[in-house]
Amino acid sequence: MALNKVVENVQAALEGVENNMTFMLGGFGLCGIPENAIKELVRRGITGLTCISNNAGVDDFGLGLLLQGKQIKKMISSYVGENKEFERQMLSGELEVDLVPQGSLAERCRAAGAGIPAFYTPAGYGTEVAEGKEVRIFDGKPHILEMAFQADFAFVKAWKGDTAGNLIFKATAKNFNPMMAMAGKITVAEVEELVPAGALDPNQIHTTGVFVQRIFQGTDYEKRIERITTRPKV
Amino acid sequence: MALNKVVENVQAALEGVENNMTFMLGGFGLCGIPENAIKELVRRGITGLTCISNNAGVDDFGLGLLLQGKQIKKMISSYVGENKEFERQMLSGELEVDLVPQGSLAERCRAAGAGIPAFYTPAGYGTEVAEGKEVRIFDGKPHILEMAFQADFAFVKAWKGDTAGNLIFKATAKNFNPMMAMAGKITVAEVEELVPAGALDPNQIHTTGVFVQRIFQGTDYEKRIERITTRPKV
Amino acid sequence: MLNKDQIAQRIAQELQDGWYVNLGIGIPTLIANHIPEGINVEFQSENGILGMGPFPYEGEEDADLINAGKQTITALPGAAYFDSATSFAMIRGQHIQLTVLGAMEVADNGDIANWKIPCKMVKGMGGAMDLVASAENIIVAMMHTNRKGQSKLLRQCTLPLTGVKCVKKIVTNLAVLEVTSEGFKLLERAPGVSVETIKAATEGRLIIDENVREMNI
Amino acid sequence: MLNKDQIAQRIAQELQDGWYVNLGIGIPTLIANHIPEGINVEFQSENGILGMGPFPYEGEEDADLINAGKQTITALPGAAYFDSATSFAMIRGQHIQLTVLGAMEVADNGDIANWKIPCKMVKGMGGAMDLVASAENIIVAMMHTNRKGQSKLLRQCTLPLTGVKCVKKIVTNLAVLEVTSEGFKLLERAPGVSVETIKAATEGRLIIDENVREMNI
């Protein structure tokens, strides 16, 4: 029988989160973010958090909600500042920000999940990103050594999931979710649709249940769009 | 419009293969091997080949066919010797064999495709696999530095593919095929079923067309089973 | 002198059939509107799609389908979605034939600065550092001078770098230039723009052959 | 003294509910037949499946569905397939709670040798080096002595190593032993096997407490 990773709700899923922990949060912009987990982190009011996430949300949605409550001590991201409170906290020195090239961010998450402590990449060589990092030439080209991240919890959002923790993502809402799922000491998956083990085609699983410790049926997804862009019907 | 990677047949797909090249070949045992490409390599009779493949086939199937014709100079594999001709050539010194831990083999293929020249892994530390390799301690644990492979051609086999080169694998026939597809300078995919671009769900693509230079409809798949193991019907 | 759309149009002439292309935000985005007849290319967006199509019709937006600029998009037949690690495997592994992006400064050795202005709010490099460090073929699309009229083609970048010795070609409102070991080589001038104007607007080393041809736009 | 099936049965008692388990070929494979009542575990095979089920019925074999021993298998509901890089990401990243494999020699510091005999045909390490280097919890299943009657539990391995200081527990036909910093600690003896017999069959350092209990098999 498949293992059962289901927890009743978001409260049970976040059992054990504490002040000063390091979290990974899936999503690109507001696309594919773990909305339920973020709301529950806000509700719990824990502080001193280090958040590894490609972006930092907007003022009133996504990680912006945690920023409003001054719950975040440090952001590790590739692109931030789509919200005023972030800018204020960063400029005032309340918020520490570590900017990481997007590909290195993704690979450092995967490395964490894959037991690769460090790898070489050309990204950032010759820039301030390389400061203090080992440089090594491979095939005539300089590379820098990047280290795997570590995270106490990873919060990811999937389209469909089964009780065994297997996940399927939709379209570009996949983004950072699969690698972060691999990397959390405890990985919490929230899904739009939770189905019994066996209901998903084993050929189509994007993230296998082995990486997921807890899964729950999410509720009230807003799925806000950051930049609605359309074309006129001809 | 999607790009068109279709070539007419296996002859066209192998245009440009030459003596002394390095090839990657997907498959685990005889499962998921590029049967058509192997047959064509045999037909062309090119020699001095370096083959990166998890295994080396059996006497009369898979890479064993290339061994029969003494076309292979060097095998880079994790597990070999399921055939007598391999053993004979290896013991006589005709065939060079580089044994690599299976996980490092897979990751060195992926690294090659992902532009990661080198990474650290604990696998093989303290063994002869580590000889001549850099050792570094991360978090108190010794790791060795492993390098990405390079391959002139990668030959992979998929279940379904579309004209844009997108691939879907079936069950455990996936194995090394996706990483090798990423790593070939020229990647040749043979498929059991070739469909028009747009016929496959973009959420279900295992290997995207960006990694595939040539795709063709394979023929006459034998799909031999190495060890048929069954249980009695109760 | 070219407008932004014409810069995009000129860069579109560089596209070759069968290429995978990553377009940055700003001017590069406009290139998709000018793909030459008979040329078939596929667009990658680094947040996880190959085969990116046009914006959706009103009312058909999908929150789960956006580009790296966070705009709603569509997917063309033959498209595929993938995670961020795979996306940058494509980029870092040089599977994308062309990257076009904007810049604040380019040096005549190919250095580029486009992500940070000291003492100003820093938003981050996003995927730019990975793109410039790995792409075999990088074209910069930008205005030749900044708002103060100062050259953006420099002997040396003054702003924090995004990547070193990586830019191959630059298309501006005034010219098409190639980065060579001796500096910017002037390949083409915009219609009605004199070599003298380009010279005056370029701070970096400029190599000018006889008879620099006018762009065909 | 235990037979091979009983060794597997004893190791099965170590399984904990909710574990992912990788079983090597030989004795470890037999463990799947002895999962205790009320214990739910999922089996990983490193060629790319989680949720591996029993062998198929005759005539229902699928060439595309095999285990790492290249035997035809089935998949249970909730199974998932994945590529080799992802498979070893699970293993190297310590997402598998238990690895059981056979060995030719184990040293009393936890070193293991199970892949190569000098001057004999070498088949390769397969996934064994990755498994032993990363698994937090490794149990070795083997006979206590080799065919010549020589101990396989040594002060130091004589064969080329597969991994260093990694084995945590050993279950043989004679005993259950734990690897400690002072050597093999005898935890249990097989039914009818005396401590003296185990002592005589163990070349490595052996720690024997009073009243070593008999296995419950």
Side-chain angles (χ1 to χ4, degrees), chain B residues 120-134:
Chain B
Y120 291 93
T121 175
Y125 167 74
T127 76
E128 62 186 54
V129 162
E131 279 168 25
K133 290 177 184 159
E134 182 192 318

Side-chain angles (χ1 to χ4, degrees), chain A residues 110, chain B residues 22-27 51-54 76-77 100-119 146-151 153-156 175-185 187 211, chain C residues 89 93 95, chain D residues 83-85 92:
Chain A
R110 180 188 179 275
Chain B
T22 297
F23 297 153
M24 286 182 180
L25 299 105
C51 291
I52 303 170
S53 171
N54 190 56
I76 301 176
S77 305
V100 178
Q102 195 173 130
S104 299
L105 188 78
E107 193 68 14
R108 289 171 70 183
C109 291
R110 180 188 179 272
I116 305 278
F119 59 89
E146 289 282 8
M147 308 290 288
F149 286 124
Q150 293 202 322
F153 278 82
F155 300 110
V156 304
N175 55 62
F176 283 83
N177 285 297
M179 292 92 62
M180 290 181 170
M182 293 170 72
K185 277 198 201 88
T187 290
F211 296 121
Chain C
H95 303 277
Chain D
D83 65 42
S84 303
R92 214 188 295 100

Side-chain angles (χ1 to χ4, degrees), chain A residues 5-225:
Chain A
K5 308 292 181 77
V6 179
V7 293
E8 199 183 349
N9 52 31
V10 67
Q11 286 82 18
L14 268 69
E15 187 74 36
V17 295
E18 283 174 24
N19 291 342
N20 306 313
M21 277 187 164
T22 297
F23 297 154
M24 286 182 180
L25 299 106
F28 187 98
L30 302 180
C31 179
I33 59 173
E35 294 186 20
N36 284 232
I38 292 171
K39 272 188 221 157
E40 173 65 11
L41 288 171
V42 170
R43 198 191 64 79
R44 294 199 177 211
I46 55 169
T47 59
L49 304 177
T50 296
C51 292
I52 303 170
S53 171
N54 190 55
N55 311 92
V58 294
D59 267 314
D60 60 343
F61 200 62
L63 284 184
L65 299 171
L66 286 170
L67 287 162
Q68 295 289 353
K70 299 181 184 170
Q71 295 178 259
I72 302 177
K73 185 184 69 182
K74 181 178 182 179
M75 280 298 310
I76 300 176
S77 304
S78 88
Y79 194 83
V80 295
E82 299 283 19
N83 71 69
K84 292 212 175 70
E85 179 60 17
F86 185 97
E87 191 167 339
R88 195 196 63 69
Q89 289 183 22
M90 182 175 168
L91 294 175
S92 73
E94 289 168 64
L95 179 68
E96 205 180 327
V97 179
D98 188 2
L99 293 169
V100 178
Q102 196 173 128
S104 299
L105 188 78
E107 193 68 15
R108 290 171 68 184
C109 291
R110 180 188 179 275
I116 305 279
F119 60 90
Y120 291 93
T121 174
Y125 167 74
T127 76
E128 61 186 56
V129 162
E131 279 168 23
K133 289 174 184 161
E134 181 191 320
V135 172
R136 192 182 292 200
I137 312 285
F138 292 96
D139 208 12
K141 188 171 172 175
H143 292 72
I144 61 176
L145 183 67
E146 291 282 8
M147 308 289 289
F149 286 124
Q150 292 201 325
D152 298 301
F153 277 82
F155 300 109
V156 303
K157 149 80 179 11
W159 181 33
K160 295 178 184 178
D162 71 15
T163 53
N166 294 305
L167 306 178
I168 294 177
F169 303 93
K170 194 184 135 210
T172 58
K174 187 184 267 180
N175 55 62
F176 282 83
N177 285 297
M179 292 92 61
M180 290 182 169
M182 292 168 74
K185 277 198 201 92
I186 295 175
T187 290
V188 174
E190 55 183 83
V191 297
E192 291 185 51
E193 190 187 348
L194 184 62
V195 300
L200 302 177
D201 181 344
N203 276 308
Q204 294 174 13
I205 305 300
H206 293 141
T207 290
T208 68
V210 77
F211 296 122
V212 175
Q213 277 66 50
R214 303 172 190 171
I215 191 169
F216 69 97
Q217 167 75 60
T219 58
D220 303 316
Y221 282 106
E222 183 176 337
K223 296 179 75 165
R224 198 186 291 189
I225 299 177

